[in-house]
Amino acid sequence: MSRQISLQQAVNEALAQEMERDKTVIVMGEDVAGGSGTQGEMDAWGGPLGITKGLWSKFGDRVMDTPISESAFVGAAVGAAVSGLRPVVELMFVDFMGVCFDQILNQAAKFRYMFGGKAVTPLVVRTMYGAGLRAAAQHSQCLYPMFTHVPGLKCVVPSTPYDAKGLLIQAIRDNDPVIFFEHKLLYSIRGEVPEEPYTIPFGEANFVREGSDATIVALGRMVHLASDAAQALAQEGIDCEVIDLRTTSPLDEDSVLESVEKTGRLVVVDEASPRCNIATDIAALAGQKAFASLKAPMAMVTAPHTPVPFSDVLEDQYIPDAKRVAAAVRDTMRYKA
Amino acid sequence: MQLSRADLLKAYRTMKMIREFEERLHIEFAAGEVPGFVHLYAGEEAVATGVCMHLDDRDKITSTHRGHGHCLAKGCDVDGMMAEIFGKTNGLCAGKGGSMHIADLSKGMLGANGIVGGGPPLACGAALAAKKLGTGGVAVSFVGDGGANQGTTLESLNLAAIWSLPCIFVIENNGYAESTSCKYAGACHDFADRASGFNMPGVTVDGHDFFAVHEVTGEAVRRARMGNGPTLIECKVNRYYGHFEGDAQTYRARDEVKTIRETRDCIANFEKKATSSGMLAASELQETSREVLAQIDDAVAKAKAAARPGAADLLTHVYVSY
């Protein structure tokens, strides 16, 4: 049987293989090694969840702990990227974009256009996102829609260990700034991952499941809920197609449209809060370009327009689940014009 | 560092080029020839010139919204800059950046910056890259007194210090962040005083004095190249025009600029010093001035005649690949 590893291991392996291959790749962020300047062990943490553990031992000072100064170190990664390095900088939680967004929004994202095509900014920002750890409002958001909105950035939201490795290697080799979103609850999921390095191109969605009755478009952790829902619906004779977007920028419009034209029904699942998110974006796309194929109103399954709550009762209610996805599909199937 | 005759002549040409570039833009802007926001560097020439005389193409600088002087001092092409400011397709940034975002990465000029305090983190990164790649290069971040109060600047001073980066922070204190006094907005006496909190040398220097700026920066660049870490330099200086072109400057004293121009002008001071010491002849300076003016005339004429971007240019240069 081929090798199964966790998404966490897949990310670590991608970083290690790229650092091995290319000496200009550096990793920096808060506690990415851990233990800097202490009397205890070095590489003590490898990030708060241990994702980068071991890299310092292999690559020494190419793995740099930073002070808690996101503006300075994310900006330094941007400056290093236009000066010959390929930095992979970790923004511990995407919620912390609030303290450094200028360096991403107005610096990294703008250089190429603003400088007339002369700048190359090979930067990767790895960041944790998503609810489910009872981490509440400031450590649980899905802010990829805000980054997707910004021309000049690429946004990657992997759902499996295989995709995480291939997309991260692509991100590191890519010459544009890439924001790489890792869902906290996906780190432990396991899947088949080849040992050798490989890349997955951006802008190519993955058909997780083929079907003819309804299209479910999802991303990140929501892909798994969509698959669970599709499996349950299959028992009822409803045949769903599940599309994993993989990247929100660039966006694989063709795959979404092709599927909607085939099934005539669209449900989009997005953990982000509902206004101006990926679900609205996909629905707008289908509304404009596949309207004639639609047999029912499009449905969106998202979190509510609230901050992420702390209480487990509330948080479980906040996060979309497979039952809600299945119910949304059933509604579209029942629709009579 | 001893300045040769050639160095002095180069310094004079650079300062004069910046001055005439800005004086001409002042006129062109008033005539409605220049689109967008323009922030002039006139009055501060000794700073950009004194600092950048120590730099070569390995070295990087980050600039500010008031960036023309830094560009010229770092060696950006005069015609390319003028065309960019006029929004033309042959501009340094293909007409997509404009005055506030001129850059020439091939010259180590990482961009003027429309965000106050946007540059210091980038300079830390450029310095980090120089260190990791062993280029021997340094990075200089020009920041105004407004930018000096941004968190990015303070965070960057700390980062540069803990990583001992070959980075020099040059605070150009022209007394006003837009229309607000630096004395009102800053809790320190001198911005250079803040250096001690970051365990690095901090020096205050008269920004009207090319020789003083040159000397202080020389020491900072030497320190950085030797691997001894960053320096903070505050240059006390004055701008001859408003925050932006069109600023009525009612917040300034009636004859403030007139007095400074008459008594402390960096170029007049330089001329006096260079000629009285016998290093340069008055005739050389006049000849240089003539050449500079002719070059500016030529650049403006070419910029006005140059093609504007075409409709198809709107969608290019967003990504390397997409």
Side-chain angles (χ1 to χ4, degrees), chain A residues 61 64-65 67 69 71-72 75-76 79-80 83 85 102-103 106-107 112-118 152-154 176 249-250, chain B residues 92-93 96-97 101 103 110 113 115 118 121-122 125-126 129 132-133 155 159 162-163 314 316-322:
Chain A
D61 62 9
M64 304 180 77
D65 282 339
S69 308
S71 276
S83 305
L85 294 180
D102 178 65
Q103 292 294 325
N106 284 318
Q107 312 299 335
R112 188 157 182 83
Y113 194 82
M114 199 164 70
F115 300 159
K118 290 179 189 156
L153 300 180
K154 292 176 175 173
D176 291 308
S249 183
Chain B
L92 276 184
C93 302
K96 289 177 169 178
H101 311 105
L110 302 187
N113 210 309
I115 306 299
L122 304 172
K132 293 280 183 203
L133 297 170
E155 286 187 24
L159 194 70
I162 67 160
W163 285 349
L314 174 65
T316 58
H317 301 146
V318 184
Y319 295 91
V320 177
S321 60
Y322 199 70

Side-chain angles (χ1 to χ4, degrees), chain A residues 113-159:
Chain A
Y113 194 82
M114 199 164 70
F115 300 159
K118 290 179 189 156
V120 177
T121 313
L123 166 78
V124 181
V125 180
R126 289 182 44 245
T127 188
M128 267 195 281
Y129 78 100
L133 279 190
R134 317 310 184 201
Q138 296 173 336
H139 289 74
S140 304
Q141 297 169 84
C142 293
L143 298 174
Y144 43 75
M146 299 180 83
F147 293 85
T148 304
H149 183 71
V150 179
L153 300 180
K154 292 176 175 173
C155 295
V156 182
V157 192
S159 66

Side-chain angles (χ1 to χ4, degrees), chain B residues 41-114:
Chain B
Y41 194 73
E44 308 188 26
E45 294 86 350
V47 179
T49 307
V51 171
C52 291
M53 285 279 283
H54 295 285
L55 309 180
D56 56 46
D57 282 356
R58 311 170 277 181
D59 302 319
K60 317 275 188 190
I61 65 168
T62 66
S63 173
T64 70
H65 55 288
R66 200 175 304 289
H68 304 164
H70 308 135
C71 287
L72 289 165
K74 194 65 174 66
C76 292
D77 179 60
V78 176
D79 291 347
M81 283 181 63
M82 198 64 86
E84 185 59 35
I85 291 165
F86 277 77
K88 300 302 176 75
T89 189
N90 62 331
L92 276 184
C93 302
K96 289 177 169 178
S99 165
M100 253 192 302
H101 311 105
I102 301 185
D104 187 346
L105 279 74
S106 68
K107 298 280 181 196
M109 167 48 184
L110 302 187
N113 210 309

Side-chain angles (χ1 to χ4, degrees), chain A residues 46-61:
Chain A
L49 299 186
I51 311 301
T52 48
K53 179 92 173 160
L55 294 179
W56 182 86
S57 304
K58 282 197 197 98
F59 302 104
D61 62 9

